[in-house]
Amino acid sequence: MRLFVSEGAPGSLPVLAAAGRARGRATELLISTVGPEECVVPFLTRPKVPVLQLDSGNYLFSTTAICRYFFLLSGWEQDDLTNQWLEWEATELQPALSAALYYLIVQGKKGEDVLGLLRRALTHIDHSLSRQNCPFLAGETESLADIVLWGALYPLLQDPAYIPEELGALRSWFQTLTTQEPCQRAVETVLKQQGVLALRSYLQKQPQPSLPEERAVSNEPEEEELATLSEEEIAIAVTAWEKGLESLPPFRPQQNPVLPVAGERNVLITSALPYVNNVPHLGNIIGCVLSADVFARYSRLRQWNTLYLCGTDEYGTATETKAMEEGLTPQEICDKYHTIHADIYRWFNISFDIFGRTTTPQQTKITQDIFHRLMARGFVLQDSVEQLRCERCARFLADRFVEGVCPFCGYEEARGDQCDKCGKLINAIELKKPQCKVCRSCPVVKSSQHLFLDLPKLEKRLEEWLGKTLPGSDWTPNARFIIRSWLRDGLKPRCITRDLKWGTPVPLKGFEDKVFYVWFDATIGYLSITANYTDQWEQWWKNPEQVDLYQFMAKDNVPFHGLVFPCSALGAEDNYTLVKHLIATEYLNYEDGKFSKSRGVGVFGDMAQDTGIPADIWRFYLLYIRPEGQDSAFSWTDMLLKNNSELLNNLGNFINRAGMFVSKFFGGCVPEMVLTPDDQRLLAHITLELRHYHQLLEKVRIRDALRSILTISRHGNQYIQVNEPWKWIKGSEADRQRAGTVTGLAVNIAALLSTMLQPFMPMVSTTIQAQLQLPLPACSVLPTNFLCTLPAGHQIGTVTPLFQKLENDQIESLRQRFGGGQAKVFPKPAVAETVTTVGPQQIQILMDEVTKQGNIVRELKAQKADKNQVAAEVAKLLDLKKQLALAEGKPLETPKGKKKK
């Protein structure tokens, strides 16, 4: 057999990948590279590649046919699902893809001009992968469809910008195939390291493709998607619904202390320890503690044995310098900022089991023990180090207190340990034009004796551990890439000591005046924080067989958690629990720039609570824009839009209407429900989306799981809108029964949403559950099926609106305030003394009271009640509004009245 391919011909990619898979089974396959103008098939009038010439003399010149032939050679059996995908690729994907590649490569268009043509097709692939919960298009193993679609999409999707960040399943599928050896060899042969530009010559010779037909874009579920449910799926959903609360497992209260239990799933969750010497901004909060909190709350809803810990990282030069700036001792600085951090996370409702600190005797004991074990096994080296010393400050400068020009990319504000722009690690003496960050003088180079962790000696152990850990784990793609890039460049000995006073002492003769570098001992802080929580800490940290360790961080922390600590633990040979799932975010920016405390740019944790916006709204928006596949940016305008559209008009509107219908039409008592076939189909769709939510959170795809909640809410809104219970309630007994069914089903969807919301918006979740009087088991456990948790006869409580509209002038004021305003002294409202005594919970209570009283006034006016009665209730409303304004620190409005004529 002879396979003819051409450099720059898109169809050559999948056939070469398929041929690579069949290598060894295809006897004497000769691969020939020909020019795009060469006529290989004698009976075709135009050049055509790829082409497979069979031993019989026959030719195959369809990309799919050639790939199919190679798959059949390797023993693959055809199936209907693969054939459906191949038909879809030919009729739906290829027309859009051809136009997109032509736009990009020939016409030079970019961004949405290109992606817009393919977005629908890419979303279809992503949804199919997510719904099946399988790694490949046709199941658990790679099929012909995977190779054909991968080869078609590779020229475009090799640029991550063309994989929308919300399509996580598509990204994972694409990356899995791209890393396979046959696919990599195909890319090297066809694209020749030129990337997508290698296709230009080929595409320029092709006629301009016609644009695929435009289709209306809608947020509502498509009819064709809704029609894919089988009768069996619907029947299963109905059976689960009818079982109701009795199918929930018994609620198990959390033990104290939380310890692993043999035979159960034990989940240990950590957030990267924040530096104690600063106040966390929104990017710090979403990158570590908030993301981990969502997963911890979800784990508890699954009744997994869960321990979630964090704490402040308190040692190092940063603390010494901050203490010097504020005229305090390092310990006083740590005490001050530890309290600030704890208060911020408490306001954001972060559900730590432990929030500790690293300045403890346990930290010293465990760190020194690991060091002694490494030393005894020959993994610690000693050498002299050239360091930067500031003569004016009379001290050696820690890496983070040197700034200069990056020797790799030229960035002018690179730190002495790492460049924030290119991400490369730096030795401080390599910096060009170095400056002491304290006094701005130019430091000099001097030598000092230090200890090194012998990473090259531990590299093989690390590789073996990664080889066992990464397959099947949920390490994020950026974490995998960062660790692999370190290993590709080869590990080098890493210094683990510093010439400081504030740190964990080095227990070695001759090193009494040095401490351990935070790179070495900060990650050991997780162990010492747990040891301060329970003296049985080793059940978590020396129990890798029974404990799943999830670690959350921003991408700059990946090397410490994925490489430095694992090397230390592997070298210590003490059966330490190592990270199984390393979850790293990209960076969150602020509007068009970066957060800066000194310049007063951006919202920091201690300021969010002064905006009058509840903590759950902050949580929602930060999770909605969580920087998963690429950097994202906080935007005040977008926050307003998401609050007013997704929360107020979608989620809040649905839950409020469902509850109000029960109160208004049925006296607060859930009515009887007689489900029609359409109702049963809705049950199955809700169950499908609930399972999708579970699949996403099990894979720690937090942002996509939040969108599943909003999708269910949209299902609910559409269901109410189509069935119009407010009309049926006015009709016959049968009509009223129909109104009861719609209302009962809707309020049960609201109950499900309240539990699904708990990891994301815990206070809103609690409020909904209180309004609906949801039984405790349904509040505490999230099932995998949609159950009837509010049966007929259940009495709900008082229903009030959940969210408030954000106004343009309010947001514009905040934008100006946080665009550089905090660096100046911001004028306090005249009622500042009142504000300081009122917390966010009291404000929320007042908001609820204002809403409730407003409804009373509106109802009285609608009923044309006695004027004196209306006036009395209006006076109550105005008084409540005054109390709320005082609590929020807003100026009191002048009452508006009718002008006298």
Side-chain angles (χ1 to χ4, degrees):
M1 288 189 298
R2 188 175 183 183
L3 177 62
F4 297 89
V5 295
S6 177
E7 294 175 12
S12 298
L13 278 170
V15 299
L16 283 170
R21 290 182 80 264
R23 193 175 297 276
R25 297 184 177 89
T27 55
E28 297 184 18
L29 174 64
L30 176 64
I31 300 177
S32 300
T33 302
V34 298
E37 299 297 323
E38 191 170 338
C39 287
V40 177
V41 185
F43 51 81
L44 292 181
T45 57
R46 294 184 57 192
K48 178 75 176 177
V49 281
V51 171
L52 179 64
Q53 184 180 11
L54 302 176
D55 293 337
S56 64
N58 292 327
Y59 293 90
L60 297 178
F61 46 87
S62 153
T63 296
T64 300
I66 297 171
C67 291
R68 187 190 297 273
Y69 186 86
F70 284 126
F71 265 78
L72 290 171
L73 277 179
S74 62
W76 170 77
E77 295 184 5
Q78 300 191 53
D79 61 272
D80 290 340
L81 184 55
T82 296
N83 290 332
Q84 290 172 26
W85 273 113
L86 294 175
E87 182 179 344
W88 178 84
E89 186 268 345
T91 58
E92 298 285 337
L93 178 62
Q94 277 298 340
L97 182 61
S98 299
L101 288 173
Y102 194 89
Y103 268 24
L104 175 67
I105 299 166
V106 179
Q107 297 186 352
K109 295 185 178 181
K110 294 182 180 179
E112 193 59 33
D113 287 341
V114 176
L115 182 57
L117 297 172
L118 272 177
R119 191 179 292 276
R120 180 186 177 89
L122 298 179
T123 302
H124 174 69
I125 298 172
D126 181 85
H127 285 180
S128 297
L129 289 164
S130 298
R131 180 172 295 179
Q132 293 176 153
N133 195 27
C134 292
F136 299 106
L137 296 172
E140 294 294 335
T141 57
E142 173 192 321
S143 72
L144 170 62
D146 294 290
I147 290 296
V148 170
L149 266 70
W150 170 85
L153 290 166
Y154 182 85
L156 188 69
L157 299 192
Q158 64 173 327
D159 182 348
Y162 290 107
I163 304 181
E165 55 181 304
E166 66 271 16
L167 304 186
L170 171 69
R171 183 183 303 106
S172 178
W173 168 83
F174 181 73
Q175 289 173 341
T176 298
L177 291 166
T178 300
T179 55
Q180 294 184 1
E181 188 180 350
C183 295
Q184 290 180 339
R185 285 203 303 266
V187 169
E188 291 168 7
T189 301
V190 177
L191 302 186
K192 293 290 184 185
Q193 297 185 333
Q194 298 177 55
V196 74
L197 295 179
L199 308 184
R200 178 175 288 169
S201 176
Y202 176 88
L203 291 176
Q204 284 174 333
K205 296 180 175 63
Q206 309 304 312
Q208 180 172 349
S210 57
L211 287 175
E213 286 184 30
E214 291 291 328
R215 301 189 189 185
V217 177
S218 169
N219 283 331
E220 299 301 332
E222 300 174 17
E223 282 302 316
E224 57 188 305
E225 279 196 276
L226 295 178
T228 58
L229 285 171
S230 68
E231 292 303 317
E232 182 184 10
E233 287 175 311
I234 295 170
I236 290 171
V238 172
T239 301
W241 160 269
E242 290 172 346
K243 288 182 179 178
L245 287 171
E246 69 182 50
S247 63
L248 285 176
F251 172 65
R252 296 186 310 176
Q254 184 168 304
Q255 302 300 310
N256 188 24
V258 182
L259 294 172
V261 178
E264 296 187 10
R265 182 158 189 202
N266 301 299
V267 178
L268 178 58
I269 301 170
T270 71
S271 292
L273 306 182
Y275 283 123
V276 77
N277 66 306
N278 57 26
V279 178
H281 57 63
L282 297 181
N284 304 136
I285 290 166
I286 184 59
C288 302
V289 296
L290 180 52
S291 296
D293 183 61
V294 171
F295 189 71
R297 289 177 178 275
Y298 173 71
S299 297
R300 296 181 192 119
L301 282 176
R302 295 297 302 274
Q303 293 203 309
W304 298 337
N305 206 37
T306 303
L307 182 70
Y308 174 29
L309 65 97
C310 186
T312 41
D313 179 6
E314 303 190 351
Y315 281 134
T317 308
T319 305
E320 285 188 353
T321 305
K322 190 72 172 178
M324 189 168 56
E325 287 174 6
E326 297 196 16
L328 300 171
T329 66
Q331 187 62 60
E332 287 170 339
I333 278 290
C334 292
D335 294 343
K336 172 184 174 181
Y337 280 92
H338 175 82
T339 301
I340 290 172
H341 277 267
D343 288 345
I344 289 169
Y345 303 139
R346 193 177 298 113
W347 186 79
F348 273 96
N349 290 307
I350 307 298
S351 61
F352 300 122
D353 293 294
I354 329 155
F355 185 70
R357 49 202 308 186
T358 57
T359 49
T360 66
Q362 288 284 8
Q363 174 76 2
T364 301
K365 179 182 177 183
I366 297 171
T367 301
Q368 291 183 348
D369 176 65
I370 291 175
F371 168 74
H372 280 307
R373 296 181 70 89
L374 288 167
M375 191 86 179
R377 288 159 178 75
F379 294 121
V380 177
L381 305 173
Q382 186 173 328
D383 200 358
S384 62
V385 177
E386 290 189 328
Q387 289 180 254
L388 293 177
R389 179 179 172 85
C390 178
E391 298 295 359
R392 183 178 296 177
C393 295
R395 66 194 302 175
F396 283 103
L397 296 177
D399 294 341
R400 286 181 172 262
F401 285 83
V402 185
E403 243 181 26
V405 177
C406 174
F408 300 103
C409 70
Y411 180 56
E412 294 186 354
E413 296 179 13
R415 298 194 312 264
D417 59 348
Q418 190 173 20
C419 174
D420 283 337
K421 185 173 182 182
C422 69
K424 288 193 179 290
L425 295 175
I426 302 169
N427 282 322
I429 59 172
E430 296 174 343
L431 286 173
K432 300 175 183 177
K433 301 179 183 177
Q435 282 189 335
C436 169
K437 286 184 70 174
V438 177
C439 68
R440 290 298 166 188
S441 65
C442 182
V444 296
V445 177
K446 290 200 172 182
S447 64
S448 176
Q449 284 292 311
H450 282 283
L451 299 173
F452 290 74
L453 183 61
D454 193 350
L455 291 178
K457 201 170 179 179
L458 289 159
E459 187 166 352
K460 185 178 179 182
R461 296 188 186 199
L462 181 73
E463 286 272 21
E464 290 173 353
W465 169 70
L466 287 170
K468 294 175 184 176
T469 301
L470 290 181
S473 77
D474 294 318
W475 280 49
T476 49
N478 58 353
R480 294 170 188 256
F481 176 80
I482 289 167
I483 295 301
R484 285 299 176 197
S485 65
W486 270 57
L487 290 169
R488 187 179 60 243
D489 297 338
L491 299 185
K492 298 174 180 61
R494 221 42 216 175
C495 188
I496 60 171
T497 53
R498 280 293 182 268
D499 290 289
L500 299 174
K501 295 178 182 177
W502 186 247
T504 303
V506 178
L508 191 65
K509 188 175 180 180
F511 288 82
E512 294 86 355
D513 60 342
K514 301 182 193 299
V515 298
F516 285 114
Y517 187 21
V518 289
W519 268 34
F520 177 69
D521 81 331
T523 46
I524 298 172
Y526 301 122
L527 284 64
S528 69
I529 288 169
T530 312
N532 280 292
Y533 166 72
T534 172
D535 58 7
Q536 302 175 71
W537 65 275
E538 291 184 353
Q539 289 191 36
W540 285 107
W541 287 103
K542 293 185 181 181
N543 190 4
E545 296 81 14
Q546 295 185 355
V547 173
D548 288 340
L549 173 56
Y550 288 78
Q551 297 198 290
F552 289 78
M553 66 207 68
K555 62 183 177 183
D556 58 342
N557 260 314
V558 168
F560 315 135
H561 294 75
L563 193 150
V564 176
F565 179 73
C567 280
S568 301
L570 291 167
E573 297 178 354
D574 205 12
N575 198 38
Y576 280 109
T577 302
L578 296 179
V579 60
K580 188 171 183 181
H581 308 281
L582 201 159
I583 315 299
T585 61
E586 300 292 321
Y587 294 136
L588 179 72
N589 297 313
Y590 180 78
E591 296 282 355
D592 297 324
K594 292 185 176 182
F595 290 86
S596 172
K597 188 79 170 179
S598 61
R599 292 185 288 114
V601 174
V603 182
F604 287 73
D606 55 344
M607 301 167 181
Q609 53 197 299
D610 297 329
T611 60
I613 298 173
D616 269 10
I617 307 302
W618 286 104
R619 287 177 62 111
F620 168 82
Y621 183 63
L622 290 173
L623 292 163
Y624 195 96
I625 61 169
R626 185 172 183 261
E628 292 181 3
Q630 60 190 23
D631 292 356
S632 62
F634 174 90
S635 160
W636 283 108
T637 300
D638 189 51
M639 185 180 188
L640 177 145
L641 290 172
K642 295 299 185 292
N643 178 82
N644 293 352
S645 60
E646 294 290 10
L647 290 182
L648 190 65
N649 295 338
N650 176 15
L651 183 67
N653 179 54
F654 167 68
I655 291 173
N656 187 251
R657 290 172 86 191
M660 288 300 291
F661 289 156
V662 176
S663 298
K664 185 176 180 181
F665 300 151
F666 301 97
C669 191
V670 176
E672 292 284 346
M673 290 162 273
V674 181
L675 302 182
T676 66
D678 281 345
D679 298 333
Q680 294 175 349
R681 182 172 291 275
L682 178 63
L683 292 185
H685 280 300
I686 301 296
T687 294
L688 194 68
E689 198 61 49
L690 172 60
R691 290 178 179 174
H692 187 211
Y693 168 95
H694 279 298
Q695 291 164 8
L696 291 168
L697 278 181
E698 284 172 6
K699 292 292 183 183
V700 204
R701 287 171 53 192
I702 292 171
R703 191 185 56 205
D704 291 343
L706 179 57
R707 283 162 170 74
S708 284
I709 294 173
L710 300 173
T711 296
I712 289 178
S713 180
R714 273 190 283 272
H715 277 309
N717 270 317
Q718 189 178 28
Y719 176 67
I720 288 176
Q721 209 58 36
V722 167
N723 286 282
E724 300 178 324
W726 57 90
K727 291 184 178 178
W728 292 109
I729 197 69
K730 299 174 183 176
S732 64
E733 188 60 34
D735 291 342
R736 286 182 59 81
Q737 185 182 71
R738 181 61 193 151
T741 298
V742 173
T743 299
L745 183 48
V747 80
N748 268 281
I749 295 173
L752 172 66
L753 287 170
S754 75
T755 310
M756 293 176 73
L757 268 173
Q758 205 251 61
F760 297 88
M761 306 178 77
M763 293 302 294
V764 169
S765 168
T766 300
T767 300
I768 299 168
Q769 291 169 354
Q771 290 183 7
L772 300 181
Q773 297 292 296
L774 191 63
L776 180 60
C779 299
S780 310
V781 182
L782 184 61
T784 52
N785 292 305
F786 177 29
L787 310 178
C788 179
T789 54
L790 300 179
H794 174 87
Q795 190 74 35
I796 70 169
T798 303
V799 177
T800 56
L802 297 169
F803 306 110
Q804 286 195 324
K805 184 179 181 182
L806 292 178
E807 302 292 349
N808 285 318
D809 56 352
Q810 175 190 5
I811 289 300
E812 188 55 40
S813 172
L814 291 169
R815 189 204 313 278
Q816 291 179 16
R817 175 180 170 187
F818 293 103
Q822 318 94 290
K824 308 164 190 173
V825 177
F826 209 81
K828 296 270 186 182
V831 290
E833 66 274 10
T834 309
V835 178
T836 57
T837 63
V838 179
Q841 291 183 336
Q842 291 95 323
I843 290 175
Q844 187 63 52
I845 291 170
L846 284 169
M847 286 179 174
D848 293 342
E849 289 296 321
V850 167
T851 304
K852 182 178 177 181
Q853 188 64 23
N855 290 335
I856 292 172
V857 169
R858 279 189 289 275
E859 287 177 15
L860 288 173
K861 288 182 176 178
Q863 295 167 8
K864 297 183 179 179
D866 179 74
K867 288 184 178 180
N868 292 330
Q869 185 183 0
V870 172
E873 296 300 331
V874 167
K876 289 181 185 177
L877 176 61
L878 292 174
D879 184 59
L880 284 169
K881 285 185 174 180
K882 179 180 176 182
Q883 292 179 46
L884 178 59
L886 289 169
E888 291 180 322
K890 295 179 180 177
L892 295 178
E893 294 182 5
T894 305
K896 295 176 183 176
K898 293 181 180 179
K899 292 182 180 178
K900 292 183 180 180
K901 294 182 180 178

